[in-house]
Amino acid sequence: MKKLSLIILTVFLNMALFSCTPEELTEDTQEPLACCGDGGNIPPPPPPPPPGGN
């Protein structure tokens, strides 16, 4: 019985320490997210190297 109560205590302690709170979730969602067209112009990639190399 002593081991069972220790296991239950450990489980509840872990749940209390690592649980997600609603305040943390609402703080994360208030940051503006980049969307279509918000990033400006993206430069094209550099041209590929000529065949044959050095």
Side-chain angles (χ1 to χ4, degrees):
M1 189 69 178
K2 199 174 196 181
K3 289 182 182 180
L4 182 62
S5 62
L6 183 62
I7 291 172
I8 292 173
L9 177 69
T10 306
V11 168
F12 281 114
L13 181 63
N14 283 330
M15 287 173 54
L17 288 176
F18 299 111
S19 65
C20 182
T21 58
E23 290 83 16
E24 291 177 3
L25 291 176
T26 56
E27 290 175 4
D28 292 340
T29 58
Q30 293 184 11
E31 295 180 15
L33 301 175
C35 187
C36 316
D38 291 342
N41 294 335
I42 299 174
N54 291 342

